Structures are given as structure tokens and as C-alpha cells.
Amino acid sequence: MVDLCEICQSAEFKYKCPKCFKKTCSLPCIKQHKSQDNCSGQAHDPTKYIDKETFKSADDEKHESNFLVQRDYQFLTKLRRSLEVEMKDGRLNNKRVLQSFGNNPNTKRARYDQECQRIIRRGVNCILLPKGMQRSQMNKSKWDKPLDLFVWSIEWILYPRKKTSSTQAEPFNHISHRVKETDTLLEGMGKIIYDKCCEFYQLANVEEQMPETKPERTQRLLEGRLKFYTKWFPYNTIRIADSKQLVELNPCQKSIAELFKNRTVIEFPTIYVVANASELPGEFSVVDEKAMQETPQKNASDSDSDSESDSADDSDSYSNSSDSNESESESDSNAEPQEESSKAQAIGSESIVAPQASDDDSDGYDPGVTLDFLAG
């Protein structure tokens, strides 16, 4: 049976009024319904009171459905669903904000300058910063499947030449992505870094034509004899701590994979470029990497030798004390025996027993059982 429009009673209904669920078929019927029944056409107010008689009158002929009950049920279902969606979205969007740190209100978040996660990438000890930090987000180092090799993100920091005038140019900072591990430092420098090197270190005259190909740029950088440095960290370190010690890198004879193998970086390498070592900022110092690696081994060997010497001194002192005790016992045996009265012996025995009692008192030991009942 086809349900007809309740207004015109001639066409099949297509719509239902959101407020009273009256069936209509077209816009003219909807307008007629609103004016005839004084209906706003808007959804009901869930807080409005509905008496029992109204609920009963809303039943159909077979008392199988009630549009008022269905309306309230749909409203509650929609409300529950919306709350679930908002809670889920809130957890995803504000995961770190809603993270629980226990019931103790004085509990503080973990400090990031303590132990951190680290991984070994192509022989390089990479310290990983917590997610959300700027350097962690800038790291695009990954394995490139089409190239079948590892590509690095590298930070370049260029320091201009020092000038006698008061106007000193600011250092240039740039991060290059997808730098192949098989390239040298000179080959890994992009055109942006090359142009800045020409500006800072006058690698090319104004009248000369700028090289267009990558080998030409690499050759021009090699002729410039620039100095390349990176920060030195202990290889097994797992703490985030800034280092002011730099080690020099060979920019043309070794690839990036060979240069940073068995070295430590924070997320990705940082390269400092200067014309000569004297133009580095005063806060940095250039160190010899081999000497820094041999220092911990030397300290370990010194500690081992000290422990051996201490044990030898202890054994010598023990032998000397044993020899002195033997000599004293021999001298006592060779000496003439002296007569002592029994009274003196009693006094001596009491003096020997007394310290034992004081030792028991000092230790706090109480036997709990006395032998006085044997005296009788």
C-alpha cells in the first residue's frame, strides 16, 4: 500500500515534517501544512514536557509504533554518537595534552635532556628527539627504494669571513634533503649552498660565468679550499647535550657514509663551513678525534694499573705485618717467665671479660634468657 501525502491526498509522500512527522509530497504542501497546522517545521525541543495523554494519542492503530518515542530514542542515540566521536577526535588531536602522568599533582613531565632513544643508521649513531620537536620534524632521512641507497637530511651552517668593520654578515643556515650517502660533501652541496659560498668566500669573480653543471660547481668548491667541521659526540652517548667540540671532515676523498660511520649525530648531521679555522666562533674548539677516542681507553688502563698497585701494596703490608707478629711471638717465647698472683690473674680475666659485655651492649644484642637459676 502506497502512503499518500496527508495534505493533498493525491500523490505519494516524499518528506516528513521534522517536528510533527506529517507526510508531504511537495513544497506547496509543506507551506500549506505550516500555515494550516501552525507548525514551525523545526525539530522538537527535547526539554519540553509531554504529558501521558499525548504519548498515548501518538500510537498507531496497532499500537506498534509511537513517533514521539522514536523521536526521543533517535535524539538520545544521536547525542551518544556525537559524544563518542568528539571524545575520539579529542584523544587523537590532543594525545599529548590528555596524557596521564599519574594521580600525583606534583608529577612533572620527563625532561628531554636525559636519556633518549637512539638507532644505528648505516653505521651512524643517531639520537632521536621526542616527536613534535622541530629538529625531529625536519628530519627526512630515509631509505630511498628507487635509488637503492640511503638519503640524508644535512644541515649546513656557513660562517662568513670576519670583517674589520662593525657590519658583520649573519651565518647562513640551510637544510638539504635527499643527499645521497655515496656523495662526498662537495657533491652533496646543492646550488643554494654553492651560491652562498660564492657570496661569502668570493669563489668566483663577478665577470666570470657561473658554472652550470654539478661537476663544475664541485671543482670550484674544491679550489676554494674551504674547511668543513661537524660536532663531536662520544659514540655510545644516549643523552641530548650540546657539544662545543668540532672535528674536521675531508670534503672530497670520502663519501658521507664513510665520514659519519661510527660517529654520533642528533637526528641528522650538521656541517659547519668556514674559509679557515680561525673564523670559527669563539665558543667552538677544534679537537683531534683520534686523541678524544684514545683518552677513555687511557683512563681505563690507568685505573686498572692503580688497582693492581693498590692490591700489591696491600699484599706487601700484610706480609710485613705477619713478619712483625712472628718476630714478636718469638721474642715473647725467648723472654723469661714472670710469676703472677692468682688475684692478679682474676683481675686480668675480669678485665678481659668486661670488653665483651660492652661489645654486646653496643651491638644491642639481648639473649632474653638468663642462667641465674643454675646458681642454686
Side-chain angles (χ1 to χ4, degrees), residues 86-341:
E86 290 179 1
M87 290 176 64
K88 186 176 180 180
D89 293 344
R91 290 192 186 99
L92 293 176
N93 297 333
N94 305 294
K95 187 175 181 180
R96 297 180 63 187
V97 176
L98 300 177
Q99 186 177 3
S100 175
F101 290 91
N103 297 324
N104 187 5
N106 298 325
T107 304
K108 296 181 179 180
R109 294 178 182 265
R111 295 184 63 182
Y112 294 148
D113 57 350
Q114 298 180 357
E115 295 183 1
C116 288
Q117 182 183 3
R118 67 165 185 162
I119 58 175
I120 306 299
R121 287 175 173 166
R122 312 294 286 174
V124 183
N125 180 30
C126 300
I127 300 178
L128 301 183
L129 299 176
K131 292 183 179 179
M133 300 191 75
Q134 184 178 5
R135 193 172 181 85
S136 176
Q137 294 178 346
M138 292 187 299
N139 189 7
K140 307 298 181 184
S141 303
K142 64 178 181 178
W143 176 264
D144 194 300
K145 196 171 183 179
L147 297 176
D148 196 23
L149 51 82
F150 197 84
V151 292
W152 285 96
S153 294
I154 296 182
E155 181 182 12
W156 304 89
I157 300 179
L158 280 64
Y159 289 98
R161 293 181 180 272
K162 293 183 179 179
K163 297 180 180 180
T164 56
S165 60
S166 58
T167 59
Q168 179 69 23
E170 295 293 331
F172 177 74
N173 192 320
H174 180 75
I175 297 179
S176 301
H177 300 290
R178 296 180 57 81
V179 181
K180 299 177 183 179
E181 63 176 352
T182 55
D183 291 346
T184 62
L185 288 180
L186 296 181
E187 294 173 348
M189 298 177 71
K191 193 173 184 307
I192 298 177
I193 306 298
Y194 174 78
D195 294 341
K196 209 66 181 178
C197 288
C198 293
E199 177 185 349
F200 279 180
Y201 312 121
Q202 290 80 38
L203 300 182
N205 297 328
V206 180
E207 299 178 354
E208 295 182 5
Q209 185 178 1
M210 298 296 291
E212 297 295 335
T213 62
K214 187 174 182 180
E216 293 177 354
R217 294 198 300 266
T218 304
Q219 184 62 28
R220 182 66 60 85
L221 289 171
L222 183 60
E223 294 173 355
R225 296 183 179 182
L226 301 178
K227 298 291 184 179
F228 295 80
Y229 300 90
T230 188
K231 289 187 177 181
W232 182 87
F233 297 93
Y235 180 73
N236 293 324
T237 184
I238 53 177
R239 293 179 177 272
I240 301 177
D242 192 14
S243 175
K244 301 301 181 182
Q245 297 175 335
L246 303 179
V247 292
E248 189 173 357
L249 299 176
N250 191 333
C252 57
Q253 295 182 359
K254 292 184 178 181
S255 64
I256 294 175
E258 295 174 341
L259 283 176
F260 289 95
K261 188 176 182 180
N262 298 330
R263 286 183 176 169
T264 299
V265 298
I266 298 180
E267 289 287 346
F268 51 87
T270 300
I271 308 297
Y272 296 87
V273 184
V274 291
N276 52 67
S278 61
E279 295 183 354
L280 283 170
E283 59 184 358
F284 294 115
S285 61
V286 181
V287 297
D288 186 5
E289 187 175 9
K290 294 183 178 179
M292 297 297 291
Q293 292 176 353
E294 293 175 358
T295 301
Q297 299 178 359
K298 184 178 180 181
N299 295 335
S301 61
D302 293 342
S303 62
D304 294 339
S305 61
D306 293 341
S307 61
E308 291 177 358
S309 62
D310 293 340
S311 61
D313 295 340
D314 294 340
S315 61
D316 294 340
S317 62
Y318 178 76
S319 60
N320 294 333
S321 62
S322 61
D323 294 340
S324 62
N325 292 334
E326 291 177 356
S327 61
E328 290 178 359
S329 60
E330 290 177 358
S331 62
D332 293 341
S333 61
N334 295 331
E336 295 182 357
Q338 297 180 357
E339 296 182 356
E340 294 180 357
S341 61

Side-chain angles (χ1 to χ4, degrees), residues 44-63:
H44 74 290
D45 184 7
T47 61
K48 186 178 180 180
Y49 174 74
I50 301 176
D51 56 4
K52 189 181 295 184
E53 297 297 331
T54 307
F55 264 109
K56 289 182 180 180
S57 61
D59 288 341
D60 59 357
E61 297 177 358
K62 297 181 180 181
H63 300 283

